[in-house]
Amino acid sequence: MHNFQARDHFADGAQYIAGRLTKGTSGRTHAVVDPATADEVYTYELAGTDDVDAAVAAAAEAFPGWAGATPGERSDAMHRFAGVLADRAEEFAQAESVQCGKPIKLSREFDVPGTVDNTAFFAGAARHLQGQSAGEYSGDHTSYVRREPIGVVGSIAPWNYPLQMAAWKVLPAIAAGNTIVLKPAELTPFTSLLFAQAATEAGIPDGVVNIVTGAGKDAGEHLVGHPDVAMTSFTGSTGVGKRVAEIATATVKRLHLELGGKAPFVVFDDADLEAAVHGAVAGALINSGQDCTAATRAYVQRPLYEAFVQGVADLMESVRLGDPFDPSTDMGPLISHVHRDRVAGFVDRARSYARVVTGGEVLQHPGAFYKPTLIADAAQDSEIVQSEIFGPVLVVVPFDSDDEGIRLANDTPYGLAASAWSRDVFRANRATREIKAGCVWVNDHIPILSEMPHGGYKASGYGKDMSAYSFEEYTQIKHVMFDNTAVVRKDWHRTIFGDR
């Protein structure tokens, strides 16, 4: 059983402002429910607009000092931050699993070490915020580019990977010299709060990292529209992302959106079938399928189609559902009973036009469990193929020619991630060029790296998390130009007054 007791950790409240925990002032409470047991594990006071104002004020006050620190000073603090996270890894893993229901082996081996690595990466990257080299581009002037922090960043993170999403928002922002107010999902605040506390423990100044835990309509919208917030970064559904964009645009903020996905998994007829089957099950079921890059649409060239369907069904049926804190558990529950029922609704509606090969069942259990599900023979324009389900559901569709497979892969509004499976380097290379997605894996699906960017095409949003490319979101580019001639009357002045 788990050892993380949220009531003890957050007795002073679920808001972290200017280096300390406080209670929210909205007058409303929210209960965090363990999705594996349906037990309430922590009830807290939600943030209201006053809490958002206080957090933004704290971030604004901290900004000049943090922005004025040298890259080396910020880097040193962030290296200490990575060390604190590593020392407290088990605490973070337990907190992540109790609030999300994800298997402890996933929290221990994926979420937490990935976040430690991401922190260490940005600790190093903080020293490399460089502009172009100086040069005399006009002949009479020296120009160079400065890369400067934007100011206070207001970010909103989702519930599916609370720790990693907090890191993806906080780390590039503060490495670049910004300060931040992060609003995690109300369902999953624990690891965001622990993350902010760890930053303080590492010596990052009070007010640089702040957390407000409140409802999207109240705390979230107020944060996005706040006049002292210079940039908004949002990860979540495309529908909510559109609302965030409307609010942010009204105050002309910098905006970064990482939105929904419906990742295609394209298997050509020369692929290693066993590898593709294993990759599909792993890619579809990670985090119970609650992953915007999860494999959701498998397009399989017809010679391999039936064998792929059978292989995936057999492997899915071997996946062990159960207690997230049992190290042998492969898959935990969905985040809530409401979300489980939403996923079940997609599958139940699909029964009228497609074949449910395996799964498609709600477990008779207090937790929000749903069996791994494989659906075959659905039409390309059907709901189950086109809509983001966000659960342990994989749809398999056959194709004939390579042209058709790539066309089907691109035939949704989304473009976050995809994979192509082939032994032919030319075939695979064509797929990486022509599939419209921010990440295309070849003969694998899901791995991410701190050094590589993450972000989408089309309705999956714009801008990048992770990697040095993320600094494009979190910095202003300034051109500085020096006259080198000391000439009082420049030749170009005659275009405004006087003669040559």
Side-chain angles (χ1 to χ4, degrees), residues 1-7 34 37 39 41 90 93-95 97-99 104 108 190 323-326:
M1 294 299 292
H2 68 87
N3 297 312
F4 183 82
Q5 300 300 317
R7 293 182 181 90
D34 181 344
T37 63
D39 294 333
V41 296
E90 181 61 19
Q94 297 256 344
S97 285
V98 76
Q99 68 182 351
I104 192 67
R108 285 174 176 158
F190 297 162
D323 177 9
F325 289 90
D326 181 342

Side-chain angles (χ1 to χ4, degrees), residues 46 113 123 152 170 262 268 291 298 309 316 329 370 459 478 482:
L46 288 162
V152 177
V170 169
K262 188 72 177 174
F268 295 101
D291 185 314
V309 170
M316 278 188 170
T329 292
Y370 194 76
K478 178 185 287 183
F482 280 85

